[in-house]
């Protein structure tokens, strides 16, 4: 009787694991930010369906010695986005809510992580 209960519980757990989607893979949606191009003109960068719980250093502004930080982030993903003033998710940070969280040009960023 115990073996039958154990097998049934294991099968139920496996079925639940397969049926329930996980959010560990990626935030769904777009994240945008503005940065200065090589000629100084404003450019818009995007992250599409970015990975969750992984620090992303924005490539256009990765080097503090040769570029100005990005600004004006807009979070249209389904996850919170925590932006950082430094590369590699270092420095001061601010969290943008999911589905439309945004900030003005006063918020400077070089990296971001999604919940």
């Amino acid at each position: 009787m115990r073996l039958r209960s154990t097998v049934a519980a294991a099968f139920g757990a496996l079925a639940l694991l397969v049926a329930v989607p996980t959010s560990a893979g990626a935030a769904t949606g777009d994240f945008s930010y503005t940065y200065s191009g090589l000629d100084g003109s404003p450019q818009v960068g995007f992250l599409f369906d970015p990975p969750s719980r992984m620090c992303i250093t924005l490539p256009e502004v990765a080097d503090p010695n040769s570029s100005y930080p990005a600004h004006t982030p807009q979070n249209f993903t389904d996850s919170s986005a925590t932006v950082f003033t430094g590369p590699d998710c270092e420095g001061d940070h601010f969290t943008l809510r999911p589905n439309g969280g945004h900030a003005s040009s006063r918020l400077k960023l070089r990296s971001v992580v999604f919940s």
Side-chain angles (χ1 to χ4, degrees):
M1 185 71 155
R2 278 191 203 168
L3 180 60
R4 199 176 326 167
S5 295
T6 303
V7 170
F11 180 73
L14 179 63
L16 184 62
L17 189 65
V18 170
V20 176
T22 65
S23 62
T28 302
D30 303 337
F31 178 84
S32 67
Y33 52 94
T34 303
Y35 65 96
S36 294
L38 295 175
D39 61 357
S41 66
Q43 305 288 316
V44 178
F46 290 93
L47 299 175
F48 301 103
D49 296 335
S52 297
R53 294 184 287 284
M54 186 170 89
C55 180
I56 301 168
T57 298
L58 305 176
E60 302 89 352
V61 296
D63 185 358
N65 297 318
S66 64
S67 66
Y68 293 108
H71 57 86
T72 320
Q74 296 184 357
N75 182 23
F76 290 101
T77 71
D78 59 356
S79 298
S80 295
T82 302
V83 298
F84 294 82
T85 57
D88 302 318
C89 294
E90 294 180 352
D92 293 336
H93 63 277
F94 183 81
T95 301
L96 301 170
R97 65 179 170 77
N99 302 313
H102 60 279
S104 73
S105 62
R106 292 184 300 158
L107 181 64
K108 308 302 183 195
L109 65 142
R110 290 189 187 274
S111 55
V112 60
V113 65
F114 296 87
S115 61

